[in-house]
mmCIF file of all heavy atoms in Angstrom:
data_model
loop_
_atom_site.group_PDB
_atom_site.id
_atom_site.type_symbol
_atom_site.label_atom_id
_atom_site.label_comp_id
_atom_site.label_asym_id
_atom_site.label_seq_id
_atom_site.Cartn_x
_atom_site.Cartn_y
_atom_site.Cartn_z
ATOM 1 N N LEU N 171 181.887 103.035 121.076
ATOM 2 C CA LEU N 171 180.470 102.911 120.602
ATOM 3 C C LEU N 171 180.113 103.994 119.610
ATOM 4 O O LEU N 171 179.583 103.648 118.545
ATOM 5 C CB LEU N 171 179.523 103.057 121.888
ATOM 6 C CG LEU N 171 179.336 101.779 122.763
ATOM 7 C CD1 LEU N 171 178.562 102.298 124.006
ATOM 8 C CD2 LEU N 171 178.610 100.666 122.046
ATOM 9 N N TRP N 172 180.560 105.209 119.826
ATOM 10 C CA TRP N 172 180.344 106.295 118.855
ATOM 11 C C TRP N 172 180.938 106.063 117.572
ATOM 12 O O TRP N 172 180.417 106.253 116.522
ATOM 13 C CB TRP N 172 180.751 107.666 119.568
ATOM 14 C CG TRP N 172 180.528 108.798 118.668
ATOM 15 C CD1 TRP N 172 179.320 109.554 118.612
ATOM 16 C CD2 TRP N 172 181.352 109.401 117.681
ATOM 17 N NE1 TRP N 172 179.514 110.492 117.762
ATOM 18 C CE2 TRP N 172 180.616 110.439 117.184
ATOM 19 C CE3 TRP N 172 182.639 109.091 117.291
ATOM 20 C CZ2 TRP N 172 181.202 111.286 116.205
ATOM 21 C CZ3 TRP N 172 183.164 109.932 116.305
ATOM 22 C CH2 TRP N 172 182.431 110.977 115.725
ATOM 23 N N LEU N 173 182.302 105.708 117.731
ATOM 24 C CA LEU N 173 183.113 105.439 116.437
ATOM 25 C C LEU N 173 182.556 104.353 115.686
ATOM 26 O O LEU N 173 182.542 104.354 114.425
ATOM 27 C CB LEU N 173 184.543 105.289 116.815
ATOM 28 C CG LEU N 173 185.556 105.198 115.657
ATOM 29 C CD1 LEU N 173 185.424 106.431 114.659
ATOM 30 C CD2 LEU N 173 186.922 105.069 116.077
ATOM 31 N N ARG N 174 182.057 103.240 116.304
ATOM 32 C CA ARG N 174 181.574 102.123 115.484
ATOM 33 C C ARG N 174 180.404 102.520 114.691
ATOM 34 O O ARG N 174 180.297 102.184 113.571
ATOM 35 C CB ARG N 174 181.079 101.009 116.621
ATOM 36 C CG ARG N 174 180.558 99.818 115.936
ATOM 37 C CD ARG N 174 180.193 98.814 116.957
ATOM 38 N NE ARG N 174 178.950 99.211 117.579
ATOM 39 C CZ ARG N 174 178.403 98.655 118.754
ATOM 40 N NH1 ARG N 174 178.973 97.594 119.310
ATOM 41 N NH2 ARG N 174 177.338 99.055 119.262
ATOM 42 N N GLN N 175 179.492 103.401 115.304
ATOM 43 C CA GLN N 175 178.307 103.799 114.507
ATOM 44 C C GLN N 175 178.757 104.696 113.370
ATOM 45 O O GLN N 175 178.267 104.654 112.295
ATOM 46 C CB GLN N 175 177.389 104.565 115.427
ATOM 47 C CG GLN N 175 176.144 105.144 114.769
ATOM 48 C CD GLN N 175 175.223 105.852 115.715
ATOM 49 O OE1 GLN N 175 175.236 105.615 116.852
ATOM 50 N NE2 GLN N 175 174.327 106.641 115.209
ATOM 51 N N ALA N 176 179.754 105.706 113.614
ATOM 52 C CA ALA N 176 180.220 106.540 112.575
ATOM 53 C C ALA N 176 180.828 105.716 111.450
ATOM 54 O O ALA N 176 180.711 106.070 110.341
ATOM 55 C CB ALA N 176 181.384 107.486 113.271
ATOM 56 N N ILE N 177 181.718 104.683 111.821
ATOM 57 C CA ILE N 177 182.170 103.893 110.706
ATOM 58 C C ILE N 177 181.155 103.264 109.855
ATOM 59 O O ILE N 177 181.250 103.316 108.559
ATOM 60 C CB ILE N 177 183.144 102.831 111.262
ATOM 61 C CG1 ILE N 177 184.390 103.413 111.898
ATOM 62 C CG2 ILE N 177 183.546 101.749 110.227
ATOM 63 C CD1 ILE N 177 185.328 102.401 112.670
ATOM 64 N N ASP N 178 180.117 102.717 110.421
ATOM 65 C CA ASP N 178 179.071 102.164 109.628
ATOM 66 C C ASP N 178 178.391 103.196 108.727
ATOM 67 O O ASP N 178 178.056 102.918 107.544
ATOM 68 C CB ASP N 178 177.990 101.604 110.584
ATOM 69 C CG ASP N 178 178.435 100.367 111.270
ATOM 70 O OD1 ASP N 178 179.486 99.813 110.852
ATOM 71 O OD2 ASP N 178 177.913 99.928 112.274
ATOM 72 N N GLU N 179 178.186 104.471 109.251
ATOM 73 C CA GLU N 179 177.511 105.452 108.370
ATOM 74 C C GLU N 179 178.502 105.907 107.343
ATOM 75 O O GLU N 179 178.139 106.100 106.190
ATOM 76 C CB GLU N 179 177.186 106.618 109.298
ATOM 77 C CG GLU N 179 176.091 106.375 110.281
ATOM 78 C CD GLU N 179 175.945 107.383 111.299
ATOM 79 O OE1 GLU N 179 176.631 108.357 111.338
ATOM 80 O OE2 GLU N 179 174.911 107.259 112.173
ATOM 81 N N LEU N 180 179.740 105.983 107.550
ATOM 82 C CA LEU N 180 180.837 106.397 106.569
ATOM 83 C C LEU N 180 180.948 105.294 105.456
ATOM 84 O O LEU N 180 181.037 105.631 104.281
ATOM 85 C CB LEU N 180 182.149 106.640 107.191
ATOM 86 C CG LEU N 180 182.348 107.935 107.894
ATOM 87 C CD1 LEU N 180 183.554 107.948 108.759
ATOM 88 C CD2 LEU N 180 182.236 109.226 107.122
ATOM 89 N N ASP N 181 180.817 104.071 105.874
ATOM 90 C CA ASP N 181 180.830 102.943 104.924
ATOM 91 C C ASP N 181 179.679 103.045 103.990
ATOM 92 O O ASP N 181 179.826 102.876 102.826
ATOM 93 C CB ASP N 181 180.882 101.618 105.694
ATOM 94 C CG ASP N 181 181.108 100.460 104.780
ATOM 95 O OD1 ASP N 181 181.911 100.545 103.810
ATOM 96 O OD2 ASP N 181 180.492 99.381 105.006
ATOM 97 N N THR N 182 178.495 103.413 104.575
ATOM 98 C CA THR N 182 177.273 103.572 103.627
ATOM 99 C C THR N 182 177.542 104.665 102.686
ATOM 100 O O THR N 182 177.191 104.606 101.497
ATOM 101 C CB THR N 182 176.068 103.822 104.570
ATOM 102 O OG1 THR N 182 175.836 102.683 105.347
ATOM 103 C CG2 THR N 182 174.912 104.054 103.612
ATOM 104 N N GLN N 183 178.157 105.841 103.173
ATOM 105 C CA GLN N 183 178.366 107.017 102.266
ATOM 106 C C GLN N 183 179.453 106.598 101.207
ATOM 107 O O GLN N 183 179.232 106.979 100.033
ATOM 108 C CB GLN N 183 178.868 108.123 103.141
ATOM 109 C CG GLN N 183 177.785 108.742 103.962
ATOM 110 C CD GLN N 183 178.215 109.902 104.818
ATOM 111 O OE1 GLN N 183 179.129 109.763 105.672
ATOM 112 N NE2 GLN N 183 177.756 111.099 104.404
ATOM 113 N N LEU N 184 180.445 105.794 101.557
ATOM 114 C CA LEU N 184 181.379 105.474 100.642
ATOM 115 C C LEU N 184 180.788 104.528 99.457
ATOM 116 O O LEU N 184 181.059 104.689 98.284
ATOM 117 C CB LEU N 184 182.450 104.561 101.267
ATOM 118 C CG LEU N 184 183.736 105.311 101.777
ATOM 119 C CD1 LEU N 184 184.603 104.281 102.578
ATOM 120 C CD2 LEU N 184 184.586 105.717 100.573
ATOM 121 N N ARG N 185 179.884 103.663 99.876
ATOM 122 C CA ARG N 185 179.265 102.828 98.808
ATOM 123 C C ARG N 185 178.334 103.655 97.997
ATOM 124 O O ARG N 185 178.195 103.450 96.771
ATOM 125 C CB ARG N 185 178.326 101.834 99.535
ATOM 126 C CG ARG N 185 179.073 100.794 100.358
ATOM 127 C CD ARG N 185 178.189 99.966 101.339
ATOM 128 N NE ARG N 185 178.968 99.179 102.225
ATOM 129 C CZ ARG N 185 179.380 97.964 102.031
ATOM 130 N NH1 ARG N 185 179.058 97.371 100.893
ATOM 131 N NH2 ARG N 185 180.054 97.344 102.910
ATOM 132 N N ALA N 186 177.717 104.793 98.503
ATOM 133 C CA ALA N 186 176.850 105.702 97.710
ATOM 134 C C ALA N 186 177.783 106.389 96.671
ATOM 135 O O ALA N 186 177.361 106.420 95.452
ATOM 136 C CB ALA N 186 176.242 106.627 98.519
ATOM 137 N N LEU N 187 178.946 106.823 97.076
ATOM 138 C CA LEU N 187 179.785 107.477 96.065
ATOM 139 C C LEU N 187 180.247 106.526 95.101
ATOM 140 O O LEU N 187 180.431 106.786 93.790
ATOM 141 C CB LEU N 187 180.967 108.206 96.883
ATOM 142 C CG LEU N 187 182.034 108.768 96.017
ATOM 143 C CD1 LEU N 187 181.442 109.856 94.986
ATOM 144 C CD2 LEU N 187 183.162 109.525 96.788
ATOM 145 N N ARG N 188 180.657 105.302 95.446
ATOM 146 C CA ARG N 188 181.047 104.301 94.471
ATOM 147 C C ARG N 188 179.921 103.999 93.490
ATOM 148 O O ARG N 188 180.312 103.869 92.327
ATOM 149 C CB ARG N 188 181.448 103.014 95.269
ATOM 150 C CG ARG N 188 182.775 103.161 96.026
ATOM 151 C CD ARG N 188 183.190 101.773 96.557
ATOM 152 N NE ARG N 188 183.393 100.878 95.539
ATOM 153 C CZ ARG N 188 183.418 99.470 95.662
ATOM 154 N NH1 ARG N 188 183.099 99.029 96.808
ATOM 155 N NH2 ARG N 188 183.685 98.746 94.654
ATOM 156 N N ARG N 189 178.720 103.854 93.961
ATOM 157 C CA ARG N 189 177.651 103.627 92.995
ATOM 158 C C ARG N 189 177.494 104.746 91.973
ATOM 159 O O ARG N 189 177.345 104.538 90.752
ATOM 160 C CB ARG N 189 176.306 103.394 93.733
ATOM 161 C CG ARG N 189 176.225 102.146 94.477
ATOM 162 C CD ARG N 189 174.826 101.892 95.068
ATOM 163 N NE ARG N 189 174.837 100.775 96.041
ATOM 164 C CZ ARG N 189 174.862 100.830 97.317
ATOM 165 N NH1 ARG N 189 174.991 102.010 97.861
ATOM 166 N NH2 ARG N 189 174.909 99.727 98.094
ATOM 167 N N ALA N 190 177.686 106.003 92.529
ATOM 168 C CA ALA N 190 177.583 107.162 91.565
ATOM 169 C C ALA N 190 178.746 107.136 90.550
ATOM 170 O O ALA N 190 178.538 107.451 89.269
ATOM 171 C CB ALA N 190 177.643 108.462 92.341
ATOM 172 N N LEU N 191 179.965 106.802 91.006
ATOM 173 C CA LEU N 191 180.991 106.645 90.127
ATOM 174 C C LEU N 191 180.903 105.476 89.028
ATOM 175 O O LEU N 191 181.141 105.764 87.829
ATOM 176 C CB LEU N 191 182.348 106.399 90.926
ATOM 177 C CG LEU N 191 183.061 107.528 91.567
ATOM 178 C CD1 LEU N 191 184.148 107.033 92.504
ATOM 179 C CD2 LEU N 191 183.623 108.534 90.536
ATOM 180 N N GLN N 192 180.320 104.405 89.540
ATOM 181 C CA GLN N 192 180.067 103.343 88.557
ATOM 182 C C GLN N 192 179.049 103.686 87.546
ATOM 183 O O GLN N 192 179.219 103.392 86.295
ATOM 184 C CB GLN N 192 179.604 102.148 89.372
ATOM 185 C CG GLN N 192 180.692 101.528 90.262
ATOM 186 C CD GLN N 192 180.161 100.679 91.412
ATOM 187 O OE1 GLN N 192 178.998 100.375 91.472
ATOM 188 N NE2 GLN N 192 180.953 100.452 92.369
ATOM 189 N N ASP N 193 177.985 104.441 87.953
ATOM 190 C CA ASP N 193 176.978 104.785 86.970
ATOM 191 C C ASP N 193 177.563 105.806 85.970
ATOM 192 O O ASP N 193 177.276 105.712 84.758
ATOM 193 C CB ASP N 193 175.809 105.608 87.639
ATOM 194 C CG ASP N 193 174.983 104.566 88.589
ATOM 195 O OD1 ASP N 193 175.048 103.365 88.244
ATOM 196 O OD2 ASP N 193 174.298 105.073 89.327
ATOM 197 N N LEU N 194 178.416 106.751 86.397
ATOM 198 C CA LEU N 194 179.122 107.587 85.589
ATOM 199 C C LEU N 194 179.985 106.950 84.585
ATOM 200 O O LEU N 194 180.138 107.248 83.399
ATOM 201 C CB LEU N 194 179.788 108.794 86.275
ATOM 202 C CG LEU N 194 180.192 110.023 85.532
ATOM 203 C CD1 LEU N 194 179.051 110.755 84.965
ATOM 204 C CD2 LEU N 194 181.090 110.860 86.402
ATOM 205 N N ALA N 195 180.808 105.945 85.096
ATOM 206 C CA ALA N 195 181.746 105.166 84.278
ATOM 207 C C ALA N 195 181.090 104.424 83.287
ATOM 208 O O ALA N 195 181.550 104.302 82.109
ATOM 209 C CB ALA N 195 182.564 104.222 85.252
ATOM 210 N N GLU N 196 179.894 103.870 83.513
ATOM 211 C CA GLU N 196 179.194 103.106 82.542
ATOM 212 C C GLU N 196 178.734 104.040 81.382
ATOM 213 O O GLU N 196 178.678 103.639 80.245
ATOM 214 C CB GLU N 196 177.970 102.396 83.193
ATOM 215 C CG GLU N 196 177.261 101.413 82.237
ATOM 216 C CD GLU N 196 176.298 100.586 83.009
ATOM 217 O OE1 GLU N 196 175.543 101.070 83.822
ATOM 218 O OE2 GLU N 196 176.346 99.283 82.749
ATOM 219 N N ARG N 197 178.241 105.230 81.789
ATOM 220 C CA ARG N 197 177.887 106.188 80.767
ATOM 221 C C ARG N 197 178.927 106.573 79.836
ATOM 222 O O ARG N 197 178.688 106.772 78.558
ATOM 223 C CB ARG N 197 177.308 107.421 81.496
ATOM 224 C CG ARG N 197 176.635 108.418 80.525
ATOM 225 C CD ARG N 197 176.186 109.653 81.216
ATOM 226 N NE ARG N 197 175.628 109.464 82.600
ATOM 227 C CZ ARG N 197 175.513 110.398 83.619
ATOM 228 N NH1 ARG N 197 176.084 111.606 83.300
ATOM 229 N NH2 ARG N 197 175.109 110.043 84.685
ATOM 230 N N TYR N 198 180.173 106.517 80.311
ATOM 231 C CA TYR N 198 181.342 107.011 79.534
ATOM 232 C C TYR N 198 182.294 105.866 79.259
ATOM 233 O O TYR N 198 183.613 106.068 79.187
ATOM 234 C CB TYR N 198 182.029 108.167 80.078
ATOM 235 C CG TYR N 198 181.172 109.435 80.176
ATOM 236 C CD1 TYR N 198 180.715 109.859 81.349
ATOM 237 C CD2 TYR N 198 180.857 110.124 79.024
ATOM 238 C CE1 TYR N 198 179.888 111.055 81.392
ATOM 239 C CE2 TYR N 198 180.061 111.258 79.039
ATOM 240 C CZ TYR N 198 179.639 111.680 80.176
ATOM 241 O OH TYR N 198 178.823 112.823 80.273
ATOM 242 N N ALA N 199 181.846 104.609 79.158
ATOM 243 C CA ALA N 199 182.736 103.410 79.073
ATOM 244 C C ALA N 199 183.448 103.473 77.765
ATOM 245 O O ALA N 199 184.601 102.871 77.660
ATOM 246 C CB ALA N 199 181.925 102.241 79.195
ATOM 247 N N ASP N 200 182.896 104.094 76.716
ATOM 248 C CA ASP N 200 183.538 104.177 75.383
ATOM 249 C C ASP N 200 184.268 105.505 75.132
ATOM 250 O O ASP N 200 184.810 105.616 74.105
ATOM 251 C CB ASP N 200 182.459 103.898 74.248
ATOM 252 C CG ASP N 200 181.823 102.509 74.399
ATOM 253 O OD1 ASP N 200 182.531 101.637 74.102
ATOM 254 O OD2 ASP N 200 180.652 102.457 74.751
ATOM 255 N N ALA N 201 184.080 106.502 76.057
ATOM 256 C CA ALA N 201 184.746 107.815 75.771
ATOM 257 C C ALA N 201 186.076 107.847 75.955
ATOM 258 O O ALA N 201 186.677 107.465 76.940
ATOM 259 C CB ALA N 201 184.050 108.809 76.733
ATOM 260 N N ILE N 202 186.872 108.166 74.857
ATOM 261 C CA ILE N 202 188.310 108.099 74.898
ATOM 262 C C ILE N 202 188.943 109.368 75.391
ATOM 263 O O ILE N 202 188.411 110.482 74.924
ATOM 264 C CB ILE N 202 188.893 107.809 73.446
ATOM 265 C CG1 ILE N 202 188.415 106.343 73.163
ATOM 266 C CG2 ILE N 202 190.431 107.908 73.396
ATOM 267 C CD1 ILE N 202 188.769 105.916 71.737
ATOM 268 N N MET N 203 189.866 109.298 76.230
ATOM 269 C CA MET N 203 190.620 110.454 76.804
ATOM 270 C C MET N 203 192.094 110.068 76.856
ATOM 271 O O MET N 203 192.457 108.892 76.778
ATOM 272 C CB MET N 203 190.041 110.862 78.095
ATOM 273 C CG MET N 203 190.324 109.789 79.311
ATOM 274 S SD MET N 203 189.841 110.304 80.887
ATOM 275 C CE MET N 203 190.996 111.609 81.155
ATOM 276 N N PRO N 204 192.897 111.147 76.920
ATOM 277 C CA PRO N 204 194.388 110.753 77.221
ATOM 278 C C PRO N 204 194.625 110.319 78.633
ATOM 279 O O PRO N 204 194.055 110.920 79.519
ATOM 280 C CB PRO N 204 194.981 112.107 76.881
ATOM 281 C CG PRO N 204 193.990 113.165 77.206
ATOM 282 C CD PRO N 204 192.638 112.471 76.915
#
Side-chain angles (χ1 to χ4, degrees):
L171 282 170
W172 182 88
L173 182 55
R174 184 182 71 187
Q175 179 178 342
I177 289 173
D178 291 344
E179 292 170 356
L180 289 170
D181 187 37
T182 297
Q183 290 180 296
L184 266 171
R185 293 168 192 270
L187 177 54
R188 289 187 60 200
R189 290 188 186 97
L191 280 169
Q192 292 157 15
D193 291 344
L194 195 64
E196 188 167 47
R197 189 185 317 162
Y198 294 111
D200 297 288
I202 294 176
M203 67 175 291

